[in-house]
Amino acid sequence: MDVRILFLNTIVGHRFCWERIMMTRKINFAAGPSMLPLSVLEDIRDAVIDFEGHGYSILETNHRSPVFNVIRRELKDRIRSLMSVPDNYEIVFCPGGGRQQFSMVPLNLMTEKGFGGYVVTGKWSELAMEECARLSRAVTLWKGNGRELPTESFETDDRIDYVYFCDNETVDGTEFSAPPKMKSPGVILVADMSSNFMSRPVNVSEYGAIWAGMQKNFGISGLSVLIVRRDLLREKSAPIPLMLDWMKYAKTDSVPNSVPVFQFYVALLMARWVENQGGLREMDRRAREKSGLIYETIDACSSVYVCDIPPAFRSRMNIVFSLRKNELTDDFIKEAEARGMINVAGHSSRGGLRVSLYNAMPFDAVEKLSALMKDFACRHTG
Ligand code: PMP
């Protein structure tokens, strides 16, 4: 067959296939990996075949090539500008995902005799604390019941090398509205922002380090971003594994080895998308609008649904709630699936329901969920 006809057939075939995918695309309320905007998926589709006309795929792009340097530089610049990251902060990317940072934080910030101070508000801060305790010395500064957040100021002494907290607890559905308050000045605050990264403006200068896994608001699994004050990138008194050393990433401009180019590229597409949509204030406005609608629906149908998190601590990203009659949970999940809404079940450790409304979740999809909740409630009231 003529090569041109073969090419045309392939293009037409792809388009037909893409249209079919669009019609069957589900509304995915997963906590992560989660929905990506359709325009980002379209760019990925094209880049997988031919990356920006280079004649090779993004999947075939070398981690030491000038092409990847451009991707990385643009990604860094966009994060710096979207989050107004001050000049005395470094932005690095670390393969290995979120939990790798649970180990990296103590290994990079702890002094010989110091302690990591942990504010334990839910599953993810607890796991981070356990990893610190496993590797060295951790103190729990505060521990709640998973449905509340601290409001008081913390007293710390100079044995505490840093104070760690999880800004948004993905499993428990709580979110800080401002960083925990410290009585003593100069405490190094470290925040896990994996599940609310790029969802609202952040005053970076209040933190020593902010890190986030990409797979919720900003891309796909396997890569985390770290925004760290430069003076905290220090030589260690005793060696730590090279691939867990933040310095190594800073010194190599985040290319210490064959890093996953594709993950960087998807994050770049997300950065462009967030900017085109109006930036972090707009992401925050949308997040409040979407989560507000679901919390209102829960409260309006309070004989059927319950969210036991006080309003001031409720997450804009992960809405954790349940049915008053637990035996109806599976029916709700099945009805949601029948209407094209998937992954509404709660985390296995908590049960109930959880819907995640990250940046890419459109408002009309949330309206559909609210309509289902109301309809379901009408049929099961009393
Ligand atoms: N922190 C938070 C807040 C998370 O939600 C998650 C994953 N859901 C992690 C850390 C761990 O990320 P990973 O699975 O990439 O290790």
Side-chain angles (χ1 to χ4, degrees):
M1 196 193 288
D2 183 319
V3 164
R4 279 163 309 177
I5 294 176
L6 187 66
F7 181 67
L8 205 65
N9 277 346
T10 315
I11 297 285
V12 173
H14 275 313
R15 199 145 302 293
F16 177 71
C17 179
W18 190 249
E19 274 159 17
R20 190 177 54 76
I21 289 167
M22 297 275 299
M23 284 169 67
T24 54
R25 187 165 160 76
K26 306 275 193 246
I27 301 170
N28 185 358
F29 290 102
S34 36
M35 268 177 101
L36 292 165
L38 210 49
S39 63
V40 165
L41 290 176
E42 285 170 340
D43 285 346
I44 292 172
R45 174 200 58 191
D46 295 345
V48 164
I49 302 302
D50 181 4
F51 178 52
E52 292 181 352
H54 290 295
Y56 53 81
S57 165
I58 185 69
L59 302 176
E60 300 163 330
T61 302
N62 188 279
H63 56 287
R64 303 213 185 272
S65 62
V67 168
F68 181 49
N69 290 344
V70 172
I71 293 176
R72 225 166 51 258
R73 198 166 315 126
E74 187 185 334
L75 173 60
K76 254 171 95 161
D77 289 349
R78 284 188 186 269
I79 293 176
R80 196 172 286 282
S81 115
L82 278 164
M83 292 182 72
S84 307
V85 177
D87 287 346
N88 60 328
Y89 283 74
E90 188 59 70
I91 301 173
V92 296
F93 304 93
C94 308
R99 283 182 76 157
Q100 184 164 295
Q101 293 288 356
F102 291 178
S103 323
M104 288 173 121
V105 169
L107 288 173
N108 283 276
L109 292 181
M110 259 165 77
T111 56
E112 228 170 300
K113 296 200 173 121
F115 289 80
Y118 283 76
V119 180
V120 177
T121 51
K123 181 184 162 77
W124 291 110
S125 46
E126 176 135 50
L127 286 173
M129 188 274 289
E130 283 170 7
E131 178 63 355
C132 174
R134 207 178 63 81
L135 292 172
S136 43
R137 293 164 303 279
V139 261
T140 302
L141 297 174
W142 188 91
K143 187 168 178 171
N145 61 9
R147 289 159 180 75
E148 56 185 356
L149 297 176
T151 48
E152 68 273 27
S153 301
F154 289 101
E155 193 86 67
T156 52
D157 60 46
D158 51 12
R159 290 171 311 152
I160 305 275
D161 288 323
Y162 61 86
V163 172
Y164 181 104
F165 72 103
C166 179
D167 207 29
N168 183 79
E169 286 282 5
T170 324
V171 170
D172 305 86
T174 56
E175 184 178 26
F176 280 88
S177 51
K181 294 187 277 292
M182 297 296 137
K183 279 193 180 142
S184 24
V187 174
I188 297 168
L189 263 189
V190 180
D192 170 0
M193 292 196 187
S194 293
S195 47
N196 62 357
F197 190 62
M198 288 284 168
S199 73
R200 62 182 177 189
V202 173
N203 183 0
V204 175
S205 58
E206 288 182 277
Y207 301 83
I210 293 170
W211 69 268
M214 301 289 203
Q215 67 268 33
K216 293 147 198 311
N217 274 310
F218 208 58
I220 57 173
S221 325
L223 190 68
S224 66
V225 57
L226 167 76
I227 302 171
V228 58
R229 227 173 55 209
R230 282 213 179 87
D231 60 294
L232 300 176
L233 293 169
R234 299 181 282 232
E235 293 295 345
K236 318 290 176 294
S237 52
I240 64 170
L242 203 54
M243 295 302 288
L244 298 181
D245 191 343
W246 288 345
M247 283 268 280
K248 178 74 181 162
Y249 290 87
K251 280 184 177 163
T252 60
D253 193 15
S254 303
V255 192
N257 70 334
S258 313
V259 291
V261 169
F262 183 60
Q263 266 87 341
F264 284 75
Y265 176 62
V266 178
L268 171 59
L269 293 177
M270 280 307 297
R272 287 181 188 160
W273 183 86
V274 169
E275 206 166 302
N276 286 338
Q277 299 294 308
L280 298 190
R281 280 193 198 290
E282 176 61 10
M283 291 301 112
D284 187 26
R285 190 197 65 72
R286 292 182 191 182
R288 285 174 196 280
E289 188 181 37
K290 289 182 287 184
S291 57
L293 177 59
I294 298 302
Y295 286 124
E296 273 161 35
T297 311
I298 294 168
D299 294 341
C301 308
S302 59
S303 60
V304 176
Y305 308 104
V306 55
C307 170
D308 55 8
I309 301 164
F313 305 146
R314 290 179 178 177
S315 166
R316 298 161 307 134
M317 299 284 117
N318 313 98
I319 320 290
V320 172
F321 63 112
S322 53
L323 284 143
R324 289 200 184 271
K325 288 186 187 151
N326 192 31
E327 63 276 18
L328 290 177
T329 307
D330 283 348
D331 292 348
F332 183 89
I333 294 168
K334 279 190 198 124
E335 283 200 29
E337 275 172 9
R339 295 190 198 192
M341 291 178 262
I342 58 169
N343 292 318
V344 301
H347 188 268
S348 52
S349 63
R350 276 195 74 140
L353 300 166
R354 171 179 59 173
V355 292
S356 299
L357 312 175
Y358 298 125
N359 285 348
M361 178 63 65
F363 185 67
D364 60 356
V366 182
E367 284 181 316
K368 277 190 190 140
L369 176 66
S370 166
L372 165 68
M373 287 170 67
K374 286 179 187 155
D375 179 33
F376 189 89
C378 281
R379 283 179 281 118
H380 294 92
T381 303

